[in-house]
Amino acid sequence: QVQVVESGGGLVQPGGSLRLSCAASGNIYSVVAMGWYRQAPGKERELVASVRSGGNTNYADSVKGRFTISRDNAKNTVYLQMNSLKPEDTAVYYCYADLIPRTGWTPVKYWGQGTQVTVSS
């Protein structure tokens, strides 16, 4: 069994910073990629940032220059440092891990439970 557990999030004023963490654990053979999606009320879920095992990163245009994703491969953990936060960043942030479980041969996407980020004065 595989678990993806997030931490961080909360309420912050515009211009402030938050750091999200996410760890994948359990019966894992290898992790291919990890990252974050977000979903605001009434909107579709969108990719915020991702990082592959080799270190390649990808960001949504709306967060480039403000958010930084990093990864600790030894711990199967990914971090999202969010700076210069804006009200439009308010959403539920979902961590995901594309990984190969020990019980299988192909990558499977696992999701965290989501964490609320609210940017408001």
Side-chain angles (χ1 to χ4, degrees):
Q1 194 165 355
V2 174
Q3 298 84 37
V4 176
V5 179
E6 303 139 336
S7 61
L11 173 64
V12 64
Q13 292 186 344
S17 298
L18 279 175
R19 188 191 195 211
L20 306 181
S21 300
C22 173
S25 63
N27 206 18
I28 299 171
Y29 175 71
S30 70
V31 178
V32 177
M34 296 184 72
W36 298 86
Y37 279 75
R38 68 185 180 186
Q39 187 167 22
K43 295 187 177 181
E44 293 186 354
R45 189 175 294 192
E46 63 172 350
L47 178 66
V48 177
S50 63
V51 57
R52 298 187 65 82
S53 57
N56 289 340
T57 58
N58 183 45
Y59 294 93
D61 288 341
S62 59
V63 307
K64 285 180 180 177
R66 299 188 298 122
F67 291 11
T68 302
I69 191 168
S70 60
R71 177 173 166 180
D72 184 335
N73 287 339
K75 297 181 179 179
N76 289 332
T77 299
V78 65
Y79 306 95
L80 186 67
Q81 179 66 42
M82 304 184 293
N83 298 328
S84 302
L85 282 161
K86 304 175 181 180
E88 49 264 44
D89 294 318
T90 296
V92 178
Y93 284 68
Y94 296 91
C95 176
Y96 76 92
D98 288 329
L99 58 87
I100 301 174
R102 293 189 185 277
T103 56
W105 294 98
T106 57
V108 178
K109 187 178 247 75
Y110 291 84
W111 293 94
Q113 76 282 3
T115 185
Q116 177 70 45
V117 172
T118 302
V119 184
S120 176
S121 55

